[in-house]
Every structure is written in structure tokens, then in C-alpha cells.
Amino acid sequence: MKYLLSSAIALTCAAGVAFAAAHATPMVEAADQDVSNGIVSAEKVVAGENGWLVVHRTDAEMKPGPVVGYAPLRGGENTDVAAILQEEVKSGEMLMLMVHAEQGGMKTGVFEYTLGAKEDGPIKPDGKLVMKVVTAK
């Protein structure tokens, strides 16, 4: 009986965590930062499910441009997420840190998105991108 009760409590807790991750409000929290070390970071990223923090170039028009880096995300709250930049980013350039899904691609755990594609594309709750723009220092 004790084992059965412990198992039921553990399952309830696990289901609660999974439910909370799936229903968390997606967001990106990041600030302007020095990227001379080849890394851009977000202090906190919340994703409803496993996916990617994708770093796009952008400018004053605030449209996502080419991808210059990415990092994996777990469903739920992720802290201190660091994406390795795959291209040089100069001081003063703007970067859009955006949450993308892990959906539609050929391989799970492999980032397959290219600008405009559907594979591992951006999430859009209520039709809006989940992103934060930062300026490289």
C-alpha cells in the first residue's frame, strides 16, 4: 500500500511538471551584451516544449534575418542559455533571439531550419514571434 501511494504521488508530480512546461508562457529574457567571445546568451528562456533558441541577424526594421547561431532548449524554463555564433558579429549589430520548435524536420535533436522554412520553425503563440532583440557590444 505504501509503495502504491508513493508511486501515485510521484506520477502526479511528474504529470504536474509536464503540464506546467507545456502551458508555460513562452518568453526570452536577454540584454545587450559583449559577443567578442563568440557567444550570445539569454538569461532565461521559457519554451512550451523542447526546441531551439535561434539567433537571427536583424536591424531597425526588426525582421528576422539569417541565422547566426542556435542552442537547444528543454520544455519549461531554461536559464543561462548560450548560443555559439557561427559568424562574426560586430559591436553595434542587432541580434534577434527567438524560440523555435523542434518540429517538422527529418531528425529529432538536429537543427534543420533555414530562413523561411517550416522545419524547426519559429513558434507563434497568438500569431506573434517569441523573441528579444539585443545589441552586440
Side-chain angles (χ1 to χ4, degrees):
M1 180 69 172
K2 202 182 235 186
Y3 175 74
L4 195 56
L5 183 59
S6 296
S7 296
I9 290 171
L11 286 173
T12 302
C13 290
V17 169
F19 179 82
H23 292 87
T25 302
M27 56 84 68
V28 178
E29 186 178 294
D32 296 348
Q33 58 195 276
D34 179 2
V35 297
S36 63
N37 62 354
I39 295 174
V40 64
S41 299
E43 287 88 24
K44 181 166 85 171
V45 181
V46 177
E49 56 190 62
N50 293 345
W52 305 96
L53 175 66
V54 179
V55 183
H56 292 267
R57 289 188 185 276
T58 192
D59 56 23
E61 292 182 21
M62 298 297 178
K63 292 183 181 176
V67 173
V68 295
Y70 57 90
L73 296 172
R74 292 182 181 153
E77 185 175 313
N78 298 261
T79 56
D80 195 24
V81 179
I84 297 173
L85 296 169
Q86 299 168 343
E87 297 178 12
E88 182 182 357
V89 173
K90 296 178 182 168
S91 180
E93 289 188 276
M94 297 169 69
L95 300 171
M96 183 178 285
L97 284 60
M98 184 184 302
V99 177
H100 281 233
E102 170 57 52
Q103 296 178 356
M106 299 294 286
K107 298 177 183 175
T108 300
V110 176
F111 183 66
E112 301 174 81
Y113 179 81
T114 56
L115 201 56
K118 294 189 186 329
E119 297 82 10
D120 296 344
I123 65 168
K124 295 182 183 176
D126 300 323
K128 297 177 183 172
L129 295 170
V130 178
M131 58 85 178
K132 175 72 176 173
V133 175
V134 301
T135 301
K137 293 184 178 181

